[in-house]
Amino acid sequence: MRTDIFARLDREPEPPKIEIPRMSRTRLALFGGTSAFYLAIVVAVLISSWLVIVDWKVMLFRPYQQWPELHAFLDYFVVLGQRGPTAVMVAAWLGWRSWRQHTLRPLLVLGASLLLLNTTVGAVKLGLGRLGPHYATQIGSAELFAGGDIFPSGHTANAVVTWGILAYLATTPRARRYLSALSAVVALGVGLTTVYLGTHWLSDVLLGWAAGLLILLALPWCEPLIGRVEDGVLSLRDRLRARRLPVPSLPVASGGPRPAVYAQRLSAGNGGEPVRHPVGATSAARGAASRSALGGAAAPAGSKPAGASGTQGVAAPARHAQPRTYAVGRSPHAPWTPAPAGSRRPPRSRPPGG
C-alpha cells in the first residue's frame, strides 16, 4: 500500500502554477546594500586598510594548528563548496523537479546562476590577482596583482549560489524558510573552513559571501530570458517529435487487393466540389456519378451534358479493360477451372486449344 511520501514522488498530471519571484522593493534594497558592502571590501583591500591587518592576524594565528582534530572532517566538509560536486548533486535534484513539474525552469535557473557566478567571480579573481596566505611574500601586504586567483573566495560564493538556488526555487513559504536557513549554514561553514585551512584570507570569504548573494538577488532580472529559452526548447522538442510520427496508411486485408485511389476531379456544375467515387465502383457507375454531379441524367452516347459547353465539359472516364488471363501448363489429370470474373489471380489451368 502506497504512502503519501511515495505519492509525492509521482509526476504531477499537469504543470503546477509556480509563482516566479519578482524584483520587489525589499529585494532591490538588499541588492543595493550588498553591492555597497561588496565595493567597501574591495576598496579596503586595495588601500591596505585595517581589514588587511586582520587578515594577517588570522593567518598568523594558524587555526589549523590550534585545533588539529577538526582538520580531517573539514577537509571533506569543504567539498560542499566545490563547483563540480555541488553542481552535479543540485542538478540531479532539480532534474527530477523539472520532470515532475513538466518544466525546464529549475535547470535553466541553475545554469544561469552558475554562468553569472563564473563570469563575475572569475573576472574579479583574474583582475585583482591576489595571492593566498600560503604564498604570501610580505607581511602586512595585500598581495594584490601578483598573479593569484583567490579574491573573492570561489568556494564561498559557489556555496551561497548552489545551495541558495534550492531556496530560490522553493514552491512554498515554509520550504523556502527551511532551505534558506540550510543554505546559510552551509555557506557560512564553507567560508570559515577555508579560513581554518589557510587557503583564503578572511576578506576573501567576506567578498565571496557578498558575490554569491548578489547573484541570487539578481536572478529575477533573468527570469524573462529564462522563460523565452524554455519556450524555444519546448517548441523545438515538439517539432522533432512531429517529424518522428509515422504516416497513417489505409488498412489492407491479408492477401486481398489494395484499394484503388483515384484522383479527384472538380465538376463545373457542382460549385467546384470534387466528384468522389466509391472504392470498387465500375467505370460506368463512375461516369454516371460524374454526369449526375454536373446536374443532368445519363446522356445518350455522342451528346453533350446539359449546361456544359466547349472546354467546360468533363470527359468520360477511361474504361478499364477486363483482367487478362494467361495460359498455364496443365496436367492431364487436373480438371479445368475457369477464373472467376473480375479476379486478378490467373487461372490454374485452361482447356486444350483455348
Side-chain angles (χ1 to χ4, degrees):
M1 183 176 181
R2 300 178 58 185
T3 62
D4 293 339
I5 296 178
F6 292 102
R8 292 180 181 179
L9 298 178
D10 291 340
R11 195 178 192 187
E12 298 183 6
E14 59 183 11
K17 185 178 181 181
I18 302 175
E19 183 180 358
I20 299 177
R22 297 182 179 181
M23 186 57 72
S24 59
R25 293 182 178 180
T26 303
R27 186 181 292 269
L28 192 60
L30 290 174
F31 184 84
T34 308
S35 300
F37 179 78
Y38 187 96
L39 293 176
I41 296 296
V42 173
V43 172
V45 174
L46 285 174
I47 64 177
S48 298
S49 65
W50 59 269
L51 185 57
V52 177
I53 298 176
V54 174
D55 287 340
W56 275 98
K57 288 183 177 181
V58 174
M59 180 265 187
L60 295 175
F61 181 69
R62 304 188 189 280
Y64 58 90
Q65 293 182 356
Q66 302 296 327
W67 303 284
E69 62 277 4
L70 299 177
H71 202 290
F73 169 74
L74 293 180
D75 274 339
Y76 291 101
F77 179 78
V78 78
V79 177
L80 295 178
Q82 291 185 358
R83 188 170 298 113
T86 56
V88 171
M89 290 186 291
V90 175
W93 170 262
L94 296 181
W96 173 78
R97 282 273 308 273
S98 297
W99 170 82
R100 185 172 183 268
Q101 297 177 350
H102 307 265
T103 178
L104 296 176
R105 179 174 169 265
L107 291 176
L108 293 177
V109 169
L110 176 63
S113 61
L114 293 180
L115 180 61
L116 290 175
L117 175 67
N118 293 334
T119 303
T120 57
V121 174
V124 178
K125 277 176 174 286
L126 297 178
L128 296 179
R130 191 181 191 186
L131 293 176
H134 292 312
Y135 303 96
T137 58
Q138 184 179 356
I139 296 178
S141 172
E143 302 294 336
L144 293 173
F145 310 109
D149 57 352
I150 56 99
F151 182 68
S153 171
H155 279 71
T156 305
N158 184 74
V160 174
V161 172
T162 307
W163 301 108
I165 284 295
L166 300 179
Y168 178 82
L169 295 173
T171 55
T172 61
R174 182 180 179 182
R176 186 175 293 112
R177 288 193 299 268
Y178 288 162
L179 291 175
S180 298
L182 177 63
S183 61
V185 170
V186 172
L188 182 65
V190 169
L192 295 179
T193 299
T194 60
V195 175
Y196 168 87
L197 297 175
T199 57
H200 280 288
W201 305 98
L202 180 61
S203 55
D204 299 344
V205 175
L206 295 177
L207 197 64
W209 285 331
L213 186 57
L214 284 175
I215 293 174
L216 291 179
L217 293 174
L219 280 179
W221 282 328
C222 303
E223 289 290 351
L225 178 60
I226 292 174
R228 288 194 294 269
V229 172
E230 181 182 10
D231 294 339
V233 172
L234 294 180
S235 62
L236 177 61
R237 181 201 63 179
D238 295 339
R239 289 197 298 269
L240 293 178
R241 285 182 176 179
R243 292 180 182 178
R244 297 177 182 177
L245 293 178
V247 179
S249 58
L250 296 176
V252 180
S254 177
R258 295 183 176 274
V261 179
Y262 300 96
Q264 296 180 352
R265 298 178 298 155
L266 298 179
S267 60
N270 198 23
E273 292 292 333
V275 179
R276 296 180 175 85
H277 305 295
V279 177
T282 61
S283 60
R286 290 195 295 270
S290 301
R291 288 190 295 271
S292 63
L294 293 174
S303 62
K304 295 183 178 181
S309 61
T311 59
Q312 297 181 357
V314 180
R319 297 182 178 276
H320 300 279
Q322 293 292 334
R324 297 181 179 180
T325 58
Y326 301 90
V328 182
R330 182 176 66 89
S331 172
H333 302 286
W336 174 70
T337 56
S343 174
R344 297 187 181 184
R345 179 175 55 82
R348 292 189 301 174
S349 61
R350 294 190 59 176

